[in-house]
Amino acid sequence: GEDVEQSLFLSVREGDSSVINCTYTDSSSTYLYWYKQEPGAGLQLLTYIFSNMDMKQDQRLTVLLNKKDKHLSLRIADTQTGDSAIYFCAERFEQAGTALIFGKGTTLSVSS
Amino acid sequence: NAGVTQTPKFRVLKTGQSMTLLCAQDMNHEYMYWYRQDPGMGLRLIHYSVGEGTTAKGEVPDGYNVSRLKKQNFLLGLESAAPSQTSVYFCASSSPRRVSGEAFFGQGTRLTVV
């Protein structure tokens, strides 16, 4: 079946850059997504990238896509304590009503 | 603009009891989904619906039933709750009319089965 893999934890200091990595399996995925989940809350869309793009930048966020290696990364510049959360990578699964298939999530901890 | 609303937000059930989780969206989205989130497991798709009156099984459908009688509502039922169904349940919706196809999530229902 489809599978999305992420590292589980990342710890950085405030002001540093954070890079969260993800690998996916479905080469036909048209869109890939990054969601953020704060404690006790639902998932909030951070950004997405179309599969024919290599990079997308949105303020402090940079998404890199290596379609050949099926590798997606999210870079957060100037990481703040408010960025502490769980970050989920997701791929779009066209065969299930375009449902999103999620990785297990990366817990980002930012220390001051 | 409410988006996706789930009720209830919290519930404790005894083993064997039944309950229904309600999801309502006000964005006129065609597609709706139920996920469960467990520690270290990410979100797993339980059931989904691509339109009123249609439902389909996801990755972990056993022990759950769903109904989509109205476009804006998607119900998740547990007929006989088991401790293994202790989880946080998320409803989401999306539309094929949005090119990017992102899903919008509710705030979750935390269910404990004792």
Side-chain angles (χ1 to χ4, degrees):
Chain A
E2 309 312 316
D3 200 14
V4 178
E5 298 285 342
Q6 300 178 239
S7 53
L8 295 182
F9 299 101
L10 178 64
S11 182
V12 301
R13 300 185 72 88
E14 193 172 25
D16 289 349
S17 291
S18 306
V19 179
I20 302 172
N21 294 301
C22 168
T23 57
Y24 61 98
T25 56
D26 186 4
S27 58
S28 66
S29 291
T30 51
Y31 285 91
L32 296 140
Y33 306 85
W34 285 103
Y35 279 81
K36 176 183 180 182
Q37 184 182 34
E38 296 182 347
L43 276 73
Q44 171 193 359
L45 178 70
L46 273 182
T47 187
Y48 62 89
I49 187 166
F50 187 46
S51 60
N52 70 351
M53 298 171 65
D54 298 324
M55 184 180 83
K56 179 179 180 181
Q57 188 147 5
D58 184 0
Q59 300 182 327
R60 291 191 298 123
L61 305 178
T62 303
V63 178
L64 296 178
L65 175 60
N66 182 328
K67 200 172 180 183
K68 174 177 169 290
D69 294 338
K70 296 179 192 169
H71 183 266
L72 184 73
S73 68
L74 173 70
R75 178 178 180 268
I76 305 173
D78 187 24
T79 312
Q80 302 297 307
T81 54
D83 294 324
S84 294
I86 304 176
Y87 290 81
F88 291 95
C89 170
E91 63 174 341
R92 184 160 128 174
F93 187 44
E94 305 289 346
Q95 285 73 30
T98 68
L100 301 187
I101 306 300
F102 287 87
K104 291 181 170 56
T106 300
T107 299
L108 174 64
S109 175
V110 183
S111 58
S112 57
Chain B
N1 188 2
V4 180
T5 303
Q6 292 182 232
T7 53
K9 290 185 172 44
F10 302 94
R11 185 74 185 268
V12 178
L13 281 182
K14 293 183 179 179
T15 297
Q17 286 185 320
S18 63
M19 79 163 293
T20 300
L21 283 67
L22 172 63
C23 177
Q25 52 94 3
D26 62 1
M27 296 173 283
N28 200 31
H29 284 172
E30 290 80 359
Y31 300 163
M32 296 186 75
Y33 316 91
W34 277 107
Y35 290 88
R36 61 178 287 173
Q37 183 180 23
D38 301 294
M41 298 294 291
L43 277 81
R44 293 180 291 170
L45 183 67
I46 304 172
H47 285 279
Y48 66 96
S49 168
V50 298
E52 187 177 322
T54 71
T55 63
K57 294 179 181 179
E59 181 187 357
V60 289
D62 294 342
Y64 305 96
N65 56 74
V66 287
S67 64
R68 184 111 181 260
L69 298 179
K70 293 183 178 180
K71 185 178 183 180
Q72 64 268 33
N73 295 338
F74 195 27
L75 278 62
L76 178 71
L78 286 73
E79 290 183 346
S80 179
S84 61
Q85 294 177 304
T86 293
S87 188
V88 181
Y89 292 85
F90 286 100
C91 177
S93 70
S94 70
S95 174
R97 291 174 282 114
R98 292 181 69 91
V99 174
S100 57
E102 72 266 33
F104 294 81
F105 282 80
Q107 291 300 296
T109 295
R110 187 173 294 274
L111 176 66
T112 302
V113 183
V114 297

